[in-house]
Amino acid sequence: MLKFQLKKISLFLILAFITFNAKTEIIQKQNTLEKYLNLDQAVYITGKVINVIDGDTIKIERDDNGTPEKIRFLGINTPEKGYYDNDNYIEDPEPYSIDATNYIYNIVNGKTVKVYYAKDDYYSRDSYGRLLGVVVYNGRILNIELLREGLAKRYFYNANPILKFEEWTKAEASARIRRVNMWSDYHKNRIVITEVYPDPPGNETDTGKEFIEIKNFGKDQVNLKNWLFMFDKSTHYSKLTSNDFILNPGEVCVISTVDEATFRSLFPSVPQSAKYLQSQDNFWFTNNPTPIQQRIFYLATPDRHIEEVLTFSLDWYDGLRNGGKSLQRVNFRKIETGIQTSDSPDKELFKADTPNPGIVE
C-alpha cells in the first residue's frame, strides 16, 4: 500500500514538474515576443512553409483556410538575390543573400510557423499584396535572428505599429558590434559620417540644402567611385558617383545633389580645403511615413559591403526637425576603437547645432 502511494506521489510530482516547465516555457516565449512586438496591435495565423523564396520572403499554406499566402518578413531586409530591369529579372546576388536564404530554409522549410501581423489592414500588406509578418518557429523570432546574425538590415515599412523599433535597432547593433556576416567589413576603410543635415526649414524635397559630410579617418586614400548609399525606406542601393573621386587620409567631403557652386552659395562658410561631391543619384531624407524615431542611412562600398550606418531621430534635439540644425559628430571613440561600444542608437555620438559643412572639429 505504501509503495502504491509513493508511486502515486511520484507520478503527481512528475506531472506537476512537466506542467510547470510547460507553463514557464510559454511565459518565457510570451515575454520574448513582448520585448519586440506590441502584441495588442497584432493578430496571427499559422501555416506550413511550402516555399522559401529568399531570406525575407516565404510562402505558407494557411491552416485556417488551406490557401497559399506569401509572407514578407516585417522589419528587416535581407540582401537581394537580383533585381528587375524593366520587366527583365537580373540575377546578381548581393553578399550574404544566399546565406540568408539558406538560413531560413534550414530552419522552417516544411515546418509549421506562426506569423504575427498588424490588425490594421493599412499596415498588414505591402504594395505587392504580401502579408507583412513576424515569423516565429518554436519560440524563435526569425526576423530578429536574421538581424542578430548579420544577415539582414532593419527595414521599417510604414511605421508598422506592431514593432518596438528600438529593440530591433539593438538587435542589428549586436551584429555590428560582433562584425558578423554583412557587417564583417564595417568601417574597414574608416570612412565615417561626421555631419548630416536631414530636415532644413522649408520644402522637404529641397535637396540643395540637405547634405551628408564624411571624413577619411584611415591611413590610405579611398576612391569613392561606384560607392553606394541607401535610405531606410529603400531596398536597393543608389550610387554616389561613377567617376574617380579620391578622398585622402584626413580629408573631409560634403555630399549633396546640387552643383558645387550652388552649394557653396548656400553655405559660404565651407572651407576651400573641403572636397565636394555632387551625388550622381538624387537623395533626400524623407521624414515620413517611416517612424520619426528611426532615420537610417547606409553607406556601402562598390561590392555592397556596408561601410557606415547612421541611425538618428529628428526628435533627439530641439531644432533638428525643420529647425535649421544639423547632427554633428562629437564623440569619436567608436571610430578610434573600430567598434560600437554599446547597442544604443547614435545619440551619444552627436550634437545638434548650426550646419557647419566641411569642418570637423
Side-chain angles (χ1 to χ4, degrees):
M1 183 68 177
L2 179 60
K3 188 180 291 185
F4 176 73
Q5 288 178 334
L6 288 173
K7 284 184 177 180
K8 284 180 65 178
I9 293 171
S10 298
L11 181 60
F12 173 79
L13 290 174
I14 291 170
L15 290 173
F17 179 76
I18 292 172
T19 303
F20 174 78
N21 280 349
K23 288 182 177 179
T24 300
E25 184 177 356
I26 291 171
I27 292 171
Q28 287 175 340
K29 289 180 179 179
Q30 188 77 0
N31 288 341
T32 301
L33 284 171
E34 288 177 349
K35 179 179 180 180
Y36 297 103
L37 302 180
N38 295 308
L39 292 176
D40 60 328
Q41 300 292 321
V43 291
Y44 70 85
I45 58 172
T46 59
K48 180 181 179 180
V49 177
I50 56 177
N51 188 15
V52 176
I53 298 169
D54 58 25
D56 55 32
T57 311
I58 60 175
K59 184 181 287 186
I60 68 170
E61 184 180 275
R62 295 177 61 137
D63 287 338
D64 55 357
N65 57 25
T67 60
E69 182 80 72
K70 191 174 287 188
I71 310 296
R72 172 62 165 85
F73 282 46
L74 179 64
I76 66 169
N77 187 48
T78 59
E80 304 295 335
K81 294 168 66 176
Y83 62 93
Y84 280 94
D85 183 5
N86 294 321
D87 292 330
N88 299 318
Y89 182 76
I90 309 297
E91 189 168 334
D92 182 23
E94 293 181 357
Y96 302 104
S97 61
I98 305 303
D99 303 76
T101 303
N102 290 341
Y103 186 87
I104 293 301
Y105 180 90
N106 291 334
I107 296 173
V108 302
N109 189 53
K111 306 293 178 55
T112 296
V113 297
K114 185 179 287 188
V115 181
Y116 289 85
Y117 61 97
K119 291 179 181 178
D120 189 333
D121 289 342
Y122 176 79
Y123 297 102
S124 63
R125 295 185 183 273
D126 65 10
S127 58
Y128 301 102
R130 299 176 297 184
L131 191 66
L132 298 170
V134 176
V135 180
V136 180
Y137 172 68
N138 197 26
R140 300 166 64 177
I141 307 174
L142 300 184
N143 309 48
I144 293 294
E145 283 195 22
L146 285 166
L147 285 176
R148 290 191 176 279
E149 292 299 321
L151 294 173
K153 303 188 297 291
R154 291 161 294 160
Y155 178 54
F156 296 148
Y157 186 86
N158 276 0
N160 197 292
I162 76 170
L163 301 183
K164 293 184 177 179
F165 302 108
E166 185 172 344
E167 295 301 327
W168 291 63
T169 296
K170 290 179 180 180
E172 184 193 84
S174 71
R176 203 156 63 236
I177 292 168
R178 292 178 287 119
R179 293 289 203 280
V180 294
N181 291 321
M182 62 193 300
W183 299 104
S184 57
D185 288 332
Y186 185 57
H187 277 172
K188 180 179 180 180
N189 296 282
R190 289 291 197 268
I191 299 297
V192 176
I193 296 172
T194 49
E195 185 175 358
V196 58
Y197 193 27
D199 194 19
N203 190 338
E204 182 177 300
T205 59
D206 185 3
T207 57
K209 293 181 180 178
E210 295 186 355
F211 68 82
I212 299 161
E213 176 192 83
I214 60 175
K215 181 176 179 178
N216 183 354
F217 280 87
K219 297 179 180 179
D220 302 312
Q221 64 176 209
V222 176
N223 191 347
L224 297 181
K225 179 180 180 179
N226 295 328
W227 274 52
L228 307 164
F229 64 90
M230 181 191 292
F231 289 94
D232 45 10
K233 204 172 185 298
S234 303
T235 57
H236 299 284
Y237 284 106
S238 299
K239 188 177 290 188
L240 286 179
T241 180
S242 296
N243 302 318
D244 288 322
F245 190 95
I246 303 299
L247 196 62
N248 292 306
E251 284 188 325
V252 175
C253 177
V254 181
I255 305 168
S256 189
T257 55
V258 294
D259 63 84
E260 183 171 0
T262 300
F263 186 84
R264 288 185 180 274
S265 70
L266 293 169
F267 298 97
S269 63
V270 178
Q272 290 301 315
S273 59
K275 289 194 169 180
Y276 181 81
L277 174 61
Q278 181 178 358
S279 177
Q280 174 177 312
D281 289 337
N282 198 14
F283 72 81
W284 62 82
F285 288 90
T286 304
N287 297 319
N288 55 52
T290 51
I292 59 175
Q293 67 268 36
Q294 295 289 348
R295 315 301 319 142
I296 311 169
F297 181 84
Y298 297 95
L299 191 63
T301 56
D303 57 3
R304 292 172 289 190
H305 283 89
I306 298 173
E307 171 71 19
E308 168 74 310
V309 60
L310 172 63
T311 299
F312 64 93
S313 165
L314 291 175
D315 292 334
W316 274 359
Y317 308 102
D318 290 338
L320 194 58
R321 176 182 293 280
N322 200 34
K325 290 187 177 181
S326 68
L327 272 177
Q328 299 171 27
R329 190 182 291 265
V330 293
N331 186 334
F332 294 91
R333 181 180 58 182
K334 173 179 167 183
I335 303 163
E336 293 164 355
T337 60
I339 63 171
Q340 183 165 327
T341 54
S342 73
D343 59 7
S344 65
D346 293 325
K347 184 175 182 179
E348 64 193 55
L349 307 178
F350 286 83
K351 68 175 182 178
D353 210 337
T354 303
N356 196 25
I359 301 173
V360 178
E361 298 176 351

